[in-house]
Structure formats: structure tokens, C-alpha cells
Amino acid sequence: MVQLRDGMWLPAEGVSTEYAEEVYDIAPLGDGQGLSLLCPVKQILRRGHALNTPTVTLDVKAEFDGIISLESTHWAGAQNNGPHFDLFPDGKPSSAQAKITESDDKGTTLSSGSLSATIDPAPHKFGIKFHSTDGTRQLTNLGSRSLGFAYTPAPSTPMQLGDMRDFRHYMFFQTNLSVGESIHGLGERFTAWNKVGQSVSLWNADGGTSSDQAYKNVPFWMSNRGYGVFVDNPGRVEYQIGSERATRVQTSIEGQRIKWYIIYGPSPKEVLKKYSILTGRPGKVPGWSFGLWLTTSFTTNYDEATVRSFLEGMKARDSPVDVFHYDCHWMKAFTWTDFVFDAERFPDPKGSIARLKEEGLCKKVCVWINPYIAQHGAVFKHAAERGYLLKRKNGDIFQWDLWQAGMGILDVTNPEARQWYADCLNRLFDMGVDSLKTDFGERIPSLDVQWHDPTADPHKMHNHYAFQYNQLVYETLQKRYGNDEAVLFARAATAGTQRFPLVWGGDCESTPEALAESIRGGLSMGMSGFAFWSCDIGGFEGSPPPWVYKRWVAMGLLCSHSRLHGSASYRVPWVVDDDDATEEGCSRTLAKWTSLKTRLMPYVYAQAIEAIDGGIPLSLRSLALEFPDDPTAWYIDRQFMVGSQILAAPVFEESGEVEFYLPKGKWTSYFTNEARTGPGWFREKHAFGTLPLYVRENTILVLGNRGQSGSVYDYTADAEVALYHVVPGAKTTVVDYDGKVVGELEVGSDGKLKDTSALKGHVQVSEGGRSLEGDAPVSIVAL
């Protein structure tokens, strides 16, 4: 972690830091879309001061409405090798016409639509303020000594820098952190959701959910003041967020230039919308992916008979499985990943998969893969001989015994290697595999490696590998099954990987604390532009006590995607509690929550389409995205929104007691139709079939027919439309099971639905909340 200062007054030991001290010259950029600022590291009070004085060049450019980029450079002759983030993948919008104004007293201002940057006019001073163009909102600023570069170790004379091999060079900037400002995002982070006070290093790592490491590092953060900042560098990015200096967010990278974008909303949803234009919108997922996923678990023993028994048991207990996942032991030990089913355990994989689908035991099948190729697998020699694996600088294949004995790593910069890997995947598709869990991809070496592409920077490849690997697999799925039928279950990610849904939260423990960690990770991921997120229901490591399993089931079935998965123990409900068949047992609890998500599918899929379009999370969605003017919402990290209209508060206590917050407005319990009025904190006690699940006022909630099973059915047939404190003009979108918009429902001036022609069959309209007829009794106690 880069630290520049030792307190307020001293430099950090062994670090030499140079700050831009004034804006010496302002010149227009060649394209007319911005300004180039020449910033010496000392004040130039007379001509002689320009000698032996380093400078920083800061290019400030209007990108499109509400976005300004800034690129700070020390030595412009340094190479800028890739990989680079794939920006504006759907095409760049028409650039905002840069408007440059000059004023003796206010300074020089560059405006990009709704966002402006104003350079301080005072002589011999460096300062830039970022604000709304209409002047109503001050966002942040680059103040005194906020931009520059640093060396470590500190050179004793500039002559030493003639040989840079013994020095590391960093670029940095520091935006102001205002009173009451909170910072969120930076990928899937399991520490406190508000990052103020934290030091964060963006470097993909396999560290589990109970650490400051992250599988998914995204150099984008959002402020509660209506703006976000994206750093255009896939390498390691270091942040000191109100930590090294309490009033600043410091960002640093190793290199000679740093480029970043400031994105103005003003709402957080608008910030994410613009960010998704910059880095890519989330891909669309098919309806079947929202159903219940079940895995074999990780190191557990299983074969074809085990798989069948699991699926038959789930169906018999009213929790039908939409997607069954074969984890790593579908291949033999020491051979991962060779794409070959273990013939002893699965003598007829193609026939077996076909029978599972034909008998209605699952709709789709997923298998576990990763980009690591074990030396003892069937494909290692083939890949090695053809140069498909990453090499060391001396020409050897890069191998280590971390994870798989003698494993190599797929070289995703080699077009032939990518095609070979795609061919391997297509052979799996020929067997009936529909989806792929792309595990690992975090431990990508950055030292002593040589990629096939000689211009690939090994340092930048470490994080960016997750993008390139998942892109390869996702596009292979798209070519086989269609653009909107491709589904990944990926662990590693970086900026842009939201285009290849979906991701899950990695290795968590089977504890209530880990459940809370997972929620924080999902909330942070949602603030980083990812629409779809899942977790290991029940926890991955260890064996969950029945009460933890059941509480996690409730939370997990309210995620956008829901998967039961463990490490050394199964996650089918009957093995967790010795097949307790009572209403409060694991099997009945899972059945209730699976049924609830099935009923919610018309709402869930309609919300998913909105999430894709807006680059916002479906679930877990922060309350702050829906209630940005509520200060409390920016500190809530134990509950979440499912789409825009439903609030969920998971339970973390064995007693069933839970404290939760409702923002301003009327909120109606999904389970009882009892209403509460926010803002305020409330306490309730819940049995295992419920949790605080509240529907927002002015909601038209379309629910599927009670008799449906699984996530794919005709959402428009025999539906119930529940009205929750609606007012004239309230609307909702109706989608079919392909996610296509088929109509709209609207409340008329009389408070009634105008028209239900978008639906067919028997349409039940329920006022004052949904019909509770046919529900099992619930036990909710207000405390």
C-alpha cells in the first residue's frame, strides 16, 4: 500500500513526493474538447525557477454530458502498453460540446453538459473545483498539494534517476472528502460498506469473504454527493480513503500517467447509467437463470446416482431445481481442467444429462471450469506444445503447484489458444451443458511471465485477465445458444465484466457474520455497475447450523440469482437437519422461499430489464440508490432492495429478532399486508418462513399464479395484480418469460387499474396488498 506522508508534516520514510504547486499555463487541446494544464512542482516566481523543475501535465477533457476525464502525466515518453479497459463498447455518445469560459475572478471553466471543472484563477496556485454547470452543487475539488508523483526509494540526487531500474514511480491525485461524505463501490468488498477510513488495494486475490482482499476489484467509486470516479487503469490501484489524510480520497498507481473520469449524476442511478455507457451495460440473462440452482458441492463425493438422488429429493420436497451444477469432481483429481467427465463416475454423461432434463428434474446443466490446466490432465501436453499456455521469460511454461500439480495458465492473449479453449467448451455443449461456472482467475502471476502478445503488460494483465477470460467463455456461449441465453457463474471480475453476467460472492464461512459479509459484498458490487449477483447459500466453508442455513436461504432466494453450494458438505436441506419435515425445518423453509421467488418472477424479470438498461443492480440494491436524499440510507449495509419496490432485511440472530430501517413513506408487509410508516427503525421477531419484506407505497406488483413451479412460465397468464397505496398515474411494466415488454399497467384517476389487457386468463386485482388466501400461517411479532 502506497503511503506518501507520515502524518501531516513529514514525508513517509523512503518516499520522495512532488506536488503540482501552480497552474503555469493553460492551453486548448487539439480537438477543442478540453484544456491542457502545465503544472510545475514549485511556484515559478522568476525565470530561473523553470530550470531543474519537474512538471505535471494535466489534460482535462469533456467526454460526454456529465463526464469529464483528467489525465495526469509526468514523463510522456513512457510506454503505455495494454491491456486497456474496453471503453464505450456500444459506441461513444455524441460528445458534449466542450464550453470554455474565462473570468479574471472566477477562473477558467470547462463544461461538459451538466458537469464543469473550474481552475482557480489565483496566481501561483493549483486548484480545480468540480461542480454542476448550473452552480447548484459543489461536488469535490483538487486542492493544494493534491496532484503529483512520488519515488521510492527517495533519490538523494536527480542524477540517480538516470537509471530507473532501482526506483518505483507513482502518480497520484487526491480529491477532497467533504463533511459527511461517504464512499462506496470499488468492486466486491466485504469490509464496511462505507469505505471512508479504509485503505484499499485493487488487486484480484483469492482471499475469501472475511478479509480485505477481493475477487472482483473495480476502480470505480461513488460518493453520496452525486458523483463517481472511475480510474482508467486495469493494474493495481491504491486508495487511501480518508485514512492517510482524513479529508481526502487519495488514488495512486505505479507508472508515469494516471487517467480518471469524474461522473456527475446528480442521482446515484444517473451516475451508474453514465458509468455503464463508459464501461458497458450488463448483459441480459434468460428467465431460467433466476430459478433455484443446486450444486454437488465442492470436495464432496458424488456420482451419477448422487446427482439423481439430489434432484429427486428436491422435487419431492417442493423445491424444484432449474439449474443443476456439477462442481469440480465431474473431472478426475489432478486433471482439472481437462474437460473430460470421469468415466468411472459418469459413464454416459451426455445420456445422463439428457435424462435429467427429459424427466423434469432440472431445466439446465452447468459445469465447473477454470483457466488453469493441470499437468496430468488430458489436454496439458496438447496446449503446451502449441503455445497455448502462459510462459516464463526464459521460454518455459509458467507452472506451479498452487491449486493443481504442475498447472499451466491459459494464455488469453493468444488468438489460437482462445479458439482452442472455445472448441473445448463446445464439446461440453455437445453433451448438453448449458452454462459454465468460471471459477478462479485471480492468481495470475505478474512477475517472470511473458504473454503471447508481447505488448501485454504483465502487471495490468493480473486484474484484466478476469475480463478477458470471462469474455471468451461468455461469447462462446452466445455463439452457441444466442446472445440473450448466455450465463456464467464467475468469481473473478474487474471493470467491464458486468457485460458477462453473472458473478457470485466466493468462499464464505457458514456463520451469520459471513452472511453479513456477503451482503456487504453484494451491495458494493451493485454500486460498481453489476446488475446480477449471487452467493453460496448456507455458506461455503464448514457446515451451517440449521438456523443459519434457513436464514441464508431466505436472503439467497431474494438475490437476483440463487444457488445452494458448499465445500466439504452438501447443501440439500435434508442433510442439514436430519430431514426435519416440520414447517420450520430446512426442507419446508427452502420450499417456501423457492415458491416466493417463483411468484415474484413477473416483477423480478421486469426489474431486471430496467437494471440492464440503467446499469444498476437488480438485487442486492442499496437503499441509497432508491433514497439518495435519506442520509441513513447511505449507511445501511445489512438490508437491501429487490428492484425498486421491495425492501428485504435478513435475520442474523438465532432468536429470529431483527432490527431494520424503513425510509420515508408507507411500507406494507408482503406477508401480512400490515403497513408501517417511515422513516424509522423497527424491530420484529420472525420464524424461518419470513423476514421483514416490505413493499413500497405506490407499487403495482404483478405476481405469478400460485400453482407455478420453477422460474419459467407464462408471467402474463392468470396473474395477480396487487396494489399498494397507489395514486393515479402509478405504472408498472409487464414482461413475458423471455423478458420482452408486452404492455403496461397504470392506475387511473379513480385509483383503479385502467386496463389489464397486457395480461390474459383470469386476472385477480387485489387492493390494499396481495391476497393472503392460501398462504400458510406466519409468525411475525412486532417488538
Side-chain angles (χ1 to χ4, degrees), residues 68-190:
I68 290 175
S69 68
L70 299 98
E71 185 168 21
S72 176
T73 306
H74 179 204
W75 290 341
Q79 297 182 59
N80 188 20
N81 288 334
H84 303 289
F85 287 127
D86 182 17
L87 301 184
F88 303 107
D90 296 320
K92 188 174 182 179
S94 298
S95 297
Q97 186 61 43
K99 183 179 179 182
I100 300 172
T101 57
E102 297 182 33
S103 167
D104 289 341
D105 59 336
K106 294 183 179 179
T108 303
T109 297
L110 170 71
S111 298
S112 181
S114 60
L115 175 64
S116 293
T118 297
I119 303 161
D120 195 308
H124 308 299
K125 183 177 180 180
F126 177 87
I128 303 175
K129 292 181 179 180
F130 300 96
H131 55 91
S132 61
T133 299
D134 62 12
T136 59
R137 299 188 71 163
Q138 297 297 317
L139 304 178
T140 188
N141 64 71
L142 294 172
S144 172
R145 312 198 103 193
S146 65
L147 186 82
F149 59 89
Y151 294 102
T152 181
S156 58
T157 167
M159 288 296 292
Q160 288 181 299
L161 301 177
D163 183 353
M164 287 292 295
R165 289 175 294 180
D166 294 329
F167 294 90
R168 305 183 82 167
H169 183 281
Y170 297 91
M171 299 295 295
F172 67 87
F173 65 91
Q174 300 171 348
T175 53
N176 187 65
L177 192 60
S178 298
V179 176
E181 186 167 4
S182 60
I183 302 297
H184 310 268
L186 297 176
E188 182 189 59
R189 315 212 75 81
F190 305 103

Side-chain angles (χ1 to χ4, degrees), residues 225-238:
R225 291 175 64 86
Y227 71 96
V229 172
F230 170 66
V231 176
D232 185 11
N233 189 304
R236 188 192 298 269
V237 184
E238 306 272 14

Side-chain angles (χ1 to χ4, degrees), residues 319-333:
S319 293
V321 172
D322 280 296
V323 185
F324 187 79
H325 168 71
Y326 296 77
D327 220 56
C328 53
H329 278 286
W330 65 272
M331 298 172 285
K332 287 184 176 181

Side-chain angles (χ1 to χ4, degrees), residues 142-438:
L142 294 172
S144 172
R145 312 198 103 193
S146 65
L147 186 82
F149 59 89
Y151 294 102
T152 181
S156 58
T157 167
M159 288 296 292
Q160 288 181 299
L161 301 177
D163 183 353
M164 287 292 295
R165 289 175 294 180
D166 294 329
F167 294 90
R168 305 183 82 167
H169 183 281
Y170 297 91
M171 299 295 295
F172 67 87
F173 65 91
Q174 300 171 348
T175 53
N176 187 65
L177 192 60
S178 298
V179 176
E181 186 167 4
S182 60
I183 302 297
H184 310 268
L186 297 176
E188 182 189 59
R189 315 212 75 81
F190 305 103
T191 53
W193 186 56
N194 176 11
K195 304 306 174 198
V196 173
Q198 298 183 38
S199 299
V200 178
S201 179
L202 300 193
W203 191 250
N204 283 3
D206 178 4
T209 70
S210 192
S211 76
D212 63 349
Q213 296 181 1
Y215 303 101
K216 307 169 188 68
N217 288 273
V218 178
F220 169 78
W221 55 262
M222 183 187 294
S223 164
N224 64 347
R225 291 175 64 86
Y227 71 96
V229 172
F230 170 66
V231 176
D232 185 11
N233 189 304
R236 188 192 298 269
V237 184
E238 306 272 14
Y239 295 91
Q240 298 277 356
I241 307 169
S243 49
E244 180 176 328
R245 187 163 182 187
T247 58
R248 290 185 177 180
V249 178
Q250 176 177 293
T251 307
S252 60
I253 60 99
E254 186 172 359
Q256 291 288 343
R257 59 177 60 81
I258 185 170
K259 185 174 184 179
W260 55 288
Y261 296 76
I262 182 166
I263 305 170
Y264 175 51
S267 75
K269 283 186 177 180
E270 290 172 294
V271 172
L272 285 177
K273 174 81 170 181
K274 293 171 183 177
Y275 173 73
S276 74
I277 293 171
L278 183 63
T279 62
R281 293 195 311 166
K284 184 181 177 183
V285 291
W288 54 261
S289 73
F290 292 102
L292 182 62
W293 294 51
L294 173 67
T295 87
T296 56
S297 292
F298 176 48
T299 60
T300 50
N301 246 337
Y302 72 91
D303 55 16
E304 192 168 313
T306 310
V307 171
R308 176 170 289 275
S309 71
F310 281 177
L311 290 171
E312 289 174 344
M314 294 289 284
K315 187 174 184 180
R317 291 167 177 81
D318 299 322
S319 293
V321 172
D322 280 296
V323 185
F324 187 79
H325 168 71
Y326 296 77
D327 220 56
C328 53
H329 278 286
W330 65 272
M331 298 172 285
K332 287 184 176 181
F334 292 107
T335 70
W336 308 336
T337 299
D338 67 354
F339 311 100
V340 179
F341 271 88
D342 182 342
E344 183 177 334
R345 295 173 180 270
F346 299 95
D348 178 22
K350 183 176 182 179
S352 174
I353 291 171
R355 288 188 292 272
L356 295 178
K357 294 178 181 179
E358 290 165 2
E359 296 172 29
L361 294 177
C362 66
K363 292 185 179 71
K364 302 290 181 179
V365 162
C366 174
V367 298
W368 176 95
I369 61 170
N370 62 65
Y372 306 153
I373 310 298
Q375 179 172 280
H376 301 281
V379 299
F380 180 89
K381 183 177 180 182
H382 177 89
E385 289 176 346
R386 288 161 178 77
Y388 297 163
L389 303 178
L390 177 63
K391 293 184 177 180
R392 296 187 185 273
K393 289 182 177 180
N394 67 0
D396 291 348
I397 292 172
F398 183 95
Q399 290 180 268
W400 55 17
D401 295 324
L402 186 63
W403 180 241
Q404 288 287 285
M407 60 161 250
I409 299 172
L410 176 71
D411 189 337
V412 291
T413 73
N414 183 342
E416 292 183 5
R418 294 174 69 92
Q419 183 57 56
W420 165 77
Y421 199 85
D423 292 341
C424 293
L425 300 183
N426 274 297
R427 288 194 290 273
L428 293 177
F429 304 155
D430 291 340
M431 294 183 183
V433 172
D434 307 281
S435 178
L436 296 164
K437 173 182 171 180
T438 50

Side-chain angles (χ1 to χ4, degrees), residues 632-655:
T632 303
W634 289 95
Y635 291 88
I636 299 294
D637 64 1
R638 300 193 304 272
Q639 55 192 75
F640 54 89
M641 300 293 293
V642 183
S644 61
Q645 303 303 112
I646 297 178
L647 179 149
V651 179
F652 303 98
E653 299 292 336
E654 188 170 4
S655 66

